[in-house]
Amino acid sequence: MQIPVIVQTGGLLVLSNVFMTYAWYGHLKNLHNRAWWIAALVSWGIALFEYLLQVPANRIGNTQYSVAQLKIMQEVIALTVFVPFAMLYMDQPFKLDYVWAGLCLMGAVYFIFRA
């Protein structure tokens, strides 16, 4: 049984976004008392795993989707990963702006994937 391209691409992009979100923002909580260059080196190490997942996701996805469609897919996934991360891990309050941003991205999905 072949796993559909959308599932392969989406799954890899979700995992890559988990790593990238943590690489970009996790140091604000965990390494806030360290020099910026230490946080940068740690973040680069974490981001390596993001690239090991993101590159194959885009290569697989590009067999059926345009680059623009892949980018919009990635942005939707990024917000889907970021909001729970911000709230649960970084202790940020929920903002109605997250809903508005999500609705704007749904509009982007509509326009980029319409026939």
Side-chain angles (χ1 to χ4, degrees):
M1 180 177 91
Q2 178 75 3
I3 300 172
V5 169
I6 189 71
V7 174
Q8 292 179 59
T9 303
L12 288 169
L13 286 175
V14 167
L15 292 173
S16 75
N17 270 278
V18 168
F19 281 105
M20 200 61 187
T21 300
Y22 188 76
W24 281 12
Y25 303 106
H27 63 87
L28 297 174
K29 183 174 184 174
N30 301 318
L31 300 172
H32 59 57
N33 57 349
R34 305 301 278 276
W36 73 265
W37 60 270
I38 292 173
L41 290 174
V42 170
S43 292
W44 285 343
I46 295 167
L48 170 65
F49 295 102
E50 186 267 343
Y51 282 102
L52 292 174
L53 296 165
Q54 180 268 340
V55 170
N58 283 330
R59 292 176 70 97
I60 292 167
N62 194 238
T63 63
Q64 290 187 5
Y65 301 104
S66 71
V67 174
Q69 289 173 323
L70 289 170
K71 180 60 180 169
I72 294 300
M73 188 184 311
Q74 188 279 326
E75 293 300 334
V76 169
I77 290 169
L79 186 62
T80 304
V81 169
F82 175 77
V83 171
F85 175 85
M87 292 173 56
L88 300 173
Y89 188 77
M90 299 298 290
D91 300 318
Q92 298 292 306
F94 176 80
K95 292 183 171 188
L96 198 54
D97 290 342
Y98 297 152
V99 174
W100 305 134
L103 290 172
C104 289
L105 283 174
M106 289 180 71
V109 169
Y110 169 77
F111 286 113
I112 210 70
F113 280 93
R114 69 182 173 157

